[in-house]
Amino acid sequence: MSNQTPTPPIAVPAHDENQLMAERRDKLKAMRQRQADGHGVAFPNDIKPSHHAAELFAAHGDKTNEQLEPMALKVNVAGRMMLKRVMGKASFATLQDTSFGPSGGRIQLYINNEGVGEEVHAAFKHWDLGDIVSASGTLFRTKTGELSIHATSLRLVTKSLRPLPDKFHGVADQEVKYRQRYVDLITDASARQRFANRSKAVSSMRSFMVANDFLEVETPMLHPIPGGANAKPFVTHHNALDQQMFLRIAPELYLKRLIVGGFERVFEINRSFRNEGISVRHNPEFTMMEFYAAWWNYLDLMTFTEDLIRHVAQQVTGGTVLTYQGKTVDLSQPFERLTIREAILKHTDAGAHVDDAAWLLNALKKLGKFSAKDRLDARSLPSLQVTYFEEMVEEKLLQPTFIMEHPTEISPLARANDARPEVTERFELYITGREFGNGFSELNDAEDQAARFLAQSDAKDGGDEEAMHYDADYVRALEYGMPPTGGCGIGIDRFMMLLTDSASIRDVILFPALRHEA
C-alpha cells in the first residue's frame, strides 16, 4: 500500500458557471447513455454506508499506521467530494458526510489502479467536486499523518450539476447563505454544527419539560380569531369553511383552555407568525415554547424558567458561562429580578423623576418617541415608565434579568397585582439586551378578562392594528373556571442566537423569510 504524499492542487482558471454546468450535464448525459447500454446506473439506489467519518476518527484517530495496517480495517463510507487531487498513478479525494467531529465529517480517500482498477480510476479523474461518492476500502494513515481509506471500490452515486463555491471561502454573500441554505450547509461546517446544536437544544427543552411532568400538546395554527399576543396577524381564507382565518400569533389561549379542561401542566413547541418587521432579532415566522402550570404564579415561573435556560445551555455548550459577540454572559449566577421602576433607577440617572409622569413624558418627547398625534393625555405613569425603560434600559441588560410589573393596560391576559392593580404579575426575561421570554400569573377572572378584551377592541377600533380581538369562546372557557395558573413563552430563535453566538436571527433559522426572487 502506498503512503505517497499528496501535492497541492493545481490552480485552474475560473470558468463561467454556465459553461461548467454544461460540461457536467454532458457527463450526466454520457452516464445515462451507459445506463441505456446496460452499463451501470446513473443514480444508484442501493448504497448503504456502514461508517461515518466522525466515528472512524473517534475510534482510530490516535492510531499510527503501524498499528492500523495489521488490523486491516474494512470500512464503507459515502459523502460529497469536497477536494480532489489527481497525480497520475495515484489520486486523493476528501469525502464529507453528515457526521460531526474534529474532522468536520470529512475523511480522505486514496485511489490507485491497484485498489479500484484502471477503469474506475480513469473514470474518477473526470468526476467533479460536489459529486456524491461511495467508497469501500482499508483504513490507514499517510506519511503526512492523515487518516485515510485506501479505496478498493468506488462509485459515483449522484452527479452534481452545479459547481460549489470556492472551497477556501465558501459562500461569501450573506443573502445567498440564507436563500440557498443547502449550499451554506455543504460548504460551512460551522453552519451544520449550529443547526445540529439547535436541534439538540430543542430536544433538551422537551426532555426537561417532560421530566417536570409537563404534557406536550398540539394546538391549531389556523385561528378564527387571532389572540394570545398583541401583534398584527397574517390573514388567509379557509375555502371549505368559507371564512377568514389567521395564522397563529401565539398558542396561549388554546393552551389555557386545556388548563380549564383539567390538564395541570402543558407545553407546546410551536411555530407562530406575526406580520411585522424583519430585523436581526425579528422574523415573521418564528419558534417559541409556551408552557402553563396550574397552581403556579409568576414567581414560580421565573424560578423554573431560570432552571430551564441554565439546563439547556449546559446540555448544548457544556457550560453556563457563554461568550456572545465578544461579551461574557454568566448563566450560572441567580438571575437578577427588578421591577421596571427599579431597573430605571439602577440603569439611568432619572432618580426621583422615575415617578414623575410629566418628566418622563418630556424625556420621551426629546427622544422623538411621540408625535403630535399621539394621545399623550391617556398615558398612565406605569405606561410611561415601561416606554422609558424600553428606550433607556433594555439594551443595557447584558446579564440575565427578569423585569417585572408591566402595566395592566398593555397586559390584557395577565393578572393584576393585588396591591397595585395598575401593574400586573408579569415579567420579561432579558439577556444581551434582548427579550427572551414573557410570563405572568394568568388572569382567570372571566368578567375581568371580558372587560380587558372590550378595551382591546376599542383600541383596535381606534386604529391599533396590534390590539386583540374579543374572544367570546375563551371568555366562555374561563366562565367554567380556571385554577390559578402561571404561563410563559420563550423565544427559541433568540435563545439559539445566544447559545451559538450568532449575530442575526437569520443565522439560526434554516430558511428565514426573504423577498421572493424575481
Side-chain angles (χ1 to χ4, degrees):
M1 176 184 307
S2 171
N3 281 359
Q4 186 172 355
T5 302
T7 58
I10 299 173
V12 179
H15 287 73
D16 178 75
E17 183 172 298
N18 291 333
Q19 178 188 342
L20 293 174
M21 288 186 64
E23 292 172 358
R24 293 183 179 218
R25 290 187 186 278
D26 286 342
K27 293 176 183 179
L28 177 57
K29 183 178 180 181
M31 292 167 60
R32 295 189 193 278
Q33 185 58 53
R34 283 180 57 80
Q35 178 175 345
D37 294 339
H39 302 291
V41 178
F43 289 88
N45 194 31
D46 59 345
I47 311 302
K48 299 288 187 289
S50 57
H51 301 83
H52 288 89
E55 67 187 71
L56 293 176
F57 274 87
H60 308 291
D62 59 347
K63 292 183 174 67
T64 65
N65 193 52
E66 288 69 25
Q67 292 173 307
L68 289 170
E69 278 198 333
M71 299 172 68
L73 293 169
K74 304 296 182 184
V75 299
N76 176 266
V77 297
R80 191 178 299 275
M81 186 163 64
M82 302 302 291
L83 294 171
K84 174 186 173 185
R85 298 180 293 276
V86 176
M87 305 183 310
K89 294 183 179 181
S91 301
F92 287 84
T94 299
L95 295 192
Q96 175 177 288
D97 61 28
T98 59
S99 62
F100 295 95
S103 70
R106 294 185 176 192
I107 193 162
Q108 180 174 263
L109 305 181
Y110 170 70
I111 304 153
N112 62 5
N113 292 350
E114 173 191 342
V116 300
E118 185 175 351
E119 182 179 352
V120 172
H121 190 194
F124 163 81
K125 294 177 181 179
H126 297 282
W127 297 353
D128 297 297
L129 296 184
D131 288 349
I132 297 176
V133 175
S134 72
S136 298
T138 306
L139 204 62
F140 79 108
R141 192 175 291 279
T142 66
K143 287 182 178 179
T144 59
E146 186 163 359
L147 191 66
S148 306
I149 299 170
H150 184 194
T152 54
S153 70
L154 199 63
R155 295 178 71 186
L156 177 56
V157 180
T158 304
K159 183 67 193 167
S160 173
L161 298 179
R162 288 184 178 270
L164 295 176
D166 182 274
K167 60 180 175 292
F168 297 111
H169 301 102
V171 182
D173 188 303
Q174 200 66 40
E175 182 165 334
V176 173
K177 278 179 174 281
Y178 302 145
R179 195 176 294 281
Q180 300 178 27
R181 182 67 79 185
Y182 38 87
V183 180
D184 181 36
L185 295 173
I186 290 170
T187 58
D188 187 353
S190 66
R192 294 195 302 278
Q193 185 65 62
R194 186 187 320 128
F195 287 105
N197 284 343
R198 179 184 174 115
S199 178
K200 186 176 182 180
V202 172
S203 295
S204 177
M205 294 178 79
R206 177 175 280 113
S207 62
F208 186 87
M209 300 304 294
V210 172
N212 282 278
D213 301 322
F214 281 83
L215 178 70
E216 184 170 14
V217 297
E218 295 174 305
T219 61
M221 294 179 71
L222 284 175
H223 291 185
I225 298 173
N230 293 91
K232 186 177 180 180
F234 285 94
V235 184
T236 186
H237 185 81
H238 195 300
N239 290 338
L241 297 177
D242 190 23
Q243 68 180 33
Q244 180 175 260
M245 301 287 279
F246 304 88
L247 293 184
R248 169 171 64 196
I249 58 175
E252 177 170 342
L253 301 187
Y254 283 93
L255 291 172
K256 288 192 286 192
R257 284 172 169 94
L258 299 180
I259 299 294
V260 171
F263 289 118
E264 191 164 298
R265 298 183 183 184
V266 295
F267 79 100
E268 182 174 11
I269 297 174
N270 64 90
R271 300 289 281 181
S272 291
F273 308 83
R274 297 180 185 178
N275 199 357
E276 299 169 344
I278 297 175
S279 72
V280 294
R281 66 180 74 176
H282 296 95
N283 195 67
E285 178 183 4
F286 61 97
T287 306
M288 64 176 172
M289 182 178 76
E290 288 204 10
F291 59 94
Y292 295 82
W295 317 115
W296 283 15
N297 61 27
Y298 76 122
L299 300 174
D300 302 308
L301 287 173
M302 284 189 281
T303 299
F304 184 82
T305 299
E306 181 174 337
D307 291 342
L308 170 66
I309 295 290
R310 191 175 292 124
H311 169 82
V312 175
Q314 178 70 49
Q315 292 294 307
V316 174
T317 70
T320 52
V321 179
L322 312 178
T323 298
Y324 183 76
Q325 302 298 290
K327 298 179 180 178
T328 299
V329 176
D330 190 352
L331 303 178
S332 67
Q333 300 302 310
F335 293 6
E336 189 170 17
R337 299 183 181 187
L338 298 171
T339 65
I340 291 173
R341 182 180 183 277
E342 290 169 343
I344 293 173
L345 288 172
K346 179 174 181 177
H347 292 283
T348 75
D349 57 2
H353 295 303
V354 69
D355 296 318
D356 185 339
W359 185 90
L360 290 170
L361 183 57
N362 187 56
L364 289 168
K365 284 180 178 179
K366 289 179 180 179
L367 291 169
K369 185 61 183 175
F370 296 123
S371 65
K373 63 180 181 180
D374 285 310
R375 293 180 55 201
L376 304 182
D377 58 319
R379 300 297 296 264
S380 67
L381 175 61
S383 174
L384 291 169
Q385 287 175 334
V386 76
T387 304
Y388 189 77
F389 163 83
E390 291 170 349
E391 292 295 312
M392 301 298 294
V393 179
E394 187 174 299
E395 63 181 17
K396 299 176 182 178
L397 302 178
L398 173 65
Q399 301 304 324
T401 306
F402 289 113
I403 298 297
M404 305 176 293
E405 297 188 2
H406 292 69
T408 303
E409 64 199 81
I410 63 168
S411 309
L413 300 171
R415 175 188 175 92
N417 186 289
D418 289 338
R420 298 178 59 220
E422 70 273 16
V423 297
T424 56
E425 294 184 354
R426 176 183 169 188
F427 67 85
E428 289 181 338
L429 171 61
Y430 286 88
I431 311 175
T432 66
R434 297 168 180 173
E435 180 195 344
F436 276 63
N438 178 32
F440 39 82
S441 304
E442 302 294 339
L443 178 60
N444 63 343
D445 180 335
E447 293 182 345
D448 190 354
Q449 183 64 80
R452 304 261 199 108
F453 276 154
L454 287 172
Q456 287 286 298
S457 295
D458 289 343
K460 183 171 287 294
D461 291 341
D464 185 350
E465 293 182 319
E466 295 186 355
M468 292 186 188
H469 293 252
Y470 188 99
D471 191 332
D473 180 70
Y474 178 66
V475 172
R476 178 169 57 192
L478 290 183
E479 288 172 344
Y480 280 95
M482 182 174 76
T485 298
C488 180
I490 296 174
I492 290 180
D493 302 316
R494 290 187 185 176
F495 190 20
M496 293 310 106
M497 290 172 64
L498 173 65
L499 295 182
T500 61
D501 192 12
S502 298
S504 171
I505 196 170
R506 294 185 177 191
D507 294 329
V508 297
I509 297 175
L510 279 168
F511 301 102
L514 298 168
R515 190 180 300 278
H516 182 66
E517 290 182 285

